[in-house]
Amino acid sequence: MALPKDLVAASATPLILSILHNGDSYGYDIIQQVREFSGGELGWADGRLYTILHRLEKKQFIESYWEKAESGRKRKYYRISKGGLEELVQQRNNWEKLSQILQNLKGKHHV
C-alpha cells in the first residue's frame, strides 16, 4: 500500500534536508536516495522534486550551485545551509514527538 500523499508531502522537507546533510547532491540522485532509503515506498517525479527544492532554496534552507559532471554536462547541485541544519533539527524533533505520541496511543488502545 502506497503512503498517503499528505504524509509524503509532510515528510519532504526533513527527507531532503537529511539527504543533503549527508552531502551535496543533485536532483536525480536525491530521487534515487529517497527511493532507496524508503524501500521504494516514496518517490517523486522530477517536477515535484524541483518544486520542493525551489521552495527550500527560497526559504534559505538549501543553496544551489552548478558543477561540471564527469560526462562534461553542467549539473545543478544542492547543499544544506546553516538555516537548513537548524530546520532539520526542528523537523526531526517534531517527527520524534509525533512518533512517541502515536506509540503512547498504540499502547493504550492495542490497535
Side-chain angles (χ1 to χ4, degrees):
M1 179 170 71
L3 292 171
K5 289 182 182 182
D6 55 345
L7 185 59
V8 173
S11 65
T13 295
L15 287 171
I16 292 171
L17 292 178
S18 292
I19 288 169
L20 295 178
H21 182 49
N22 290 332
D24 297 3
S25 192
Y26 54 93
Y28 179 75
D29 188 52
I30 293 170
I31 290 171
Q32 294 302 110
Q33 287 187 59
V34 167
R35 280 196 189 110
E36 178 185 339
F37 288 119
S38 71
E41 293 286 325
L42 290 174
W44 297 307
D46 290 354
R48 176 72 181 128
L49 174 67
Y50 288 108
T51 299
I52 298 166
L53 290 171
H54 290 148
R55 179 176 46 82
L56 294 177
E57 197 167 19
K58 189 173 184 178
K59 290 182 175 184
Q60 299 182 335
F61 293 158
I62 64 172
E63 303 163 343
S64 64
Y65 62 95
W66 291 93
E67 193 167 289
K68 195 176 281 193
E70 291 177 17
S71 65
R73 265 182 52 218
K74 287 182 91 178
R75 180 178 280 159
K76 193 173 193 179
Y77 283 82
Y78 298 89
R79 69 176 149 239
I80 194 167
S81 67
K82 183 180 178 197
L85 286 171
E86 293 167 1
E87 180 66 15
L88 177 57
V89 168
Q90 185 61 50
Q91 291 268 337
R92 284 181 174 167
N93 287 338
N94 291 342
W95 281 93
E96 287 171 10
K97 286 177 191 175
L98 180 59
S99 177
Q100 187 59 53
I101 291 167
L102 291 171
Q103 288 298 319
N104 292 343
L105 289 169
K106 180 181 175 185
K108 292 200 178 283
H109 298 289
H110 306 293
V111 176

